[in-house]
Amino acid sequence: MIDAVPVRHPGRWAGAVLILLFAALLGQSLVTNTNFRWDIVGTYFMDVLVIQGIGWTLLLTVLSMAIAIMLAILLAFMRQSDNPLFRGVSWTWVWFFRGTPVYTQLVFWGLISVLYPKIALGIPFGPELFSFSTQDVITAFMAAILGLGLNESAYLAEIFRAGLKSVDSGQMEAAEALGMRKSKIMWRIILPQAMRVIVPPTGNETIGMLKTTSLVLAVPFTLDLTFATNGIANRSYLPIPLLIVAALWYLVITSILMVGQYYVERHFGKGVDNIVPAPVKPTPAAAAAKAPKQEDELP
């Protein structure tokens, strides 16, 4: 009989002790330090202005990501096109919007009415058919969505392009040899496999967009969560508790988005990531073998 001695890991125990000690010190600091003003945090956590700010922040995130996703899909297909003009336009778009800060782009969209006081439609170098004021069309809310959406489209375009390139080109060739249309090949063969690569970074970009909405003051748009908490802090002269309120709400929303991202990844990773086995349709022979046998009835 072999008397095996288990492998000891003193480093793990030392690391666990240090982490527990740090957590205890942090917990003690949060509880005993009166400068955090947890009573103020509880008072304003469900404040009407804060809840309204959460709603506007979520609306900005959803609409900006919707615009970004639609543009990114188009840009990714253009980048994969055989047409050099389409490839050049896609590359230039990504180069510009990814190469300039999002804050600068938001400021630009906030000042778009200075560059173009009115938007007109008519014959070039001829009479105008109709025109309208730029300020009436591109409001602060619209400028914030455009600034966030166009900037994000450049990043998502590269993510989608990487997902499409992750699928072997031989599958496209094999499907074309079978006579399938390109649209059907993309929808039924390429995209389901590419989504496994596209979903995780897209989820990260969505969470990043949620926090990037705090920069829309540059437009200026003054109804989001960050501006709402800053406004209350400026009136009450209590910046730290209101910063904690904003941080807690961002953490709550981010946690919900992470749960949703997990299930989406789980769906598209079936049979590949060993999380959920892919559904297998049994053959007629296997189904017949599994069917219970009927015993002969006794007379």
Side-chain angles (χ1 to χ4, degrees):
M1 182 176 180
I2 301 175
D3 187 11
V5 178
V7 179
R8 294 177 175 82
H9 302 281
R12 295 181 183 178
W13 290 101
V17 170
L18 289 176
I19 292 173
L20 290 175
L21 179 61
F22 176 78
L25 292 174
L26 179 61
Q28 179 187 8
S29 173
L30 293 175
V31 172
T32 59
N33 192 340
T34 58
N35 294 324
F36 283 107
R37 299 297 301 271
W38 294 108
D39 55 331
I40 303 298
V41 173
T43 300
Y44 288 103
F45 189 75
M46 297 297 293
D47 187 81
V48 175
L49 293 177
V50 173
I51 300 301
Q52 290 177 351
I54 294 170
W56 283 108
T57 296
L58 291 175
L59 186 60
L60 284 170
T61 302
V62 171
L63 294 179
S64 300
M65 287 301 297
I67 293 174
I69 289 173
M70 290 187 293
L71 287 174
I73 293 174
L74 178 61
L75 291 169
F77 285 142
M78 290 173 64
R79 193 71 178 270
Q80 297 289 102
S81 173
D82 295 331
N83 191 324
L85 178 61
F86 287 170
R87 292 200 307 270
V89 171
S90 177
W91 183 90
T92 304
W93 182 285
V94 172
W95 165 77
F96 178 79
F97 284 101
R98 198 171 60 170
T100 53
V102 61
Y103 188 86
T104 303
Q105 296 177 33
L106 288 170
V107 173
F108 173 83
W109 282 107
L111 298 174
I112 190 66
S113 60
V114 177
L115 288 174
Y116 302 99
K118 68 176 182 178
I119 300 175
L121 180 63
I123 301 174
F125 304 102
E128 296 181 359
L129 299 179
F130 63 89
S131 64
F132 41 83
S133 175
T134 304
Q135 290 182 343
D136 296 336
V137 178
I138 304 180
T139 60
F141 179 68
M142 184 62 66
I145 293 175
L146 288 174
L148 294 173
L150 297 182
N151 177 267
E152 184 61 34
S153 66
Y155 294 92
L156 289 181
E158 292 297 284
I159 292 173
F160 292 170
R161 184 172 68 91
L164 295 175
K165 289 180 71 67
S166 67
V167 181
D168 189 80
S169 59
Q171 299 193 38
M172 173 76 77
E173 297 172 358
E176 289 178 346
L178 293 174
M180 296 179 65
R181 299 189 307 272
K182 286 190 176 182
S183 59
K184 190 174 183 179
I185 295 171
M186 186 62 63
W187 183 255
R188 299 294 299 274
I189 297 176
I190 304 300
L191 282 180
Q193 299 179 72
M195 289 298 290
R196 184 177 61 87
V197 178
I198 291 173
V199 168
T202 302
N204 293 336
E205 290 295 323
T206 303
I207 294 173
M209 175 63 74
L210 174 72
K211 295 176 288 186
T212 306
T213 56
S214 61
L215 299 177
V216 294
L217 178 62
V219 172
F221 183 77
T222 58
L223 296 175
D224 65 295
L225 175 60
T226 299
F227 188 87
T229 53
N230 285 342
I232 298 173
N234 293 334
R235 292 194 300 270
S236 61
Y237 299 101
L238 295 170
I240 293 178
L242 273 302
L243 286 174
I244 295 175
V245 170
L248 290 176
W249 272 117
Y250 279 117
L251 284 172
V252 169
I253 301 171
T254 299
S255 301
I256 296 173
L257 292 176
M258 290 176 65
V259 172
Q261 177 183 346
Y262 166 77
Y263 283 104
V264 175
E265 289 184 21
R266 183 181 180 183
H267 172 74
F268 287 104
K270 289 180 180 178
V272 179
D273 297 334
N274 297 324
I275 299 176
V276 178
V280 179
K281 185 177 180 180
T283 61
K290 290 183 179 180
K293 296 181 179 180
Q294 297 181 352
E295 298 180 358
D296 296 335
E297 295 183 359
L298 297 176

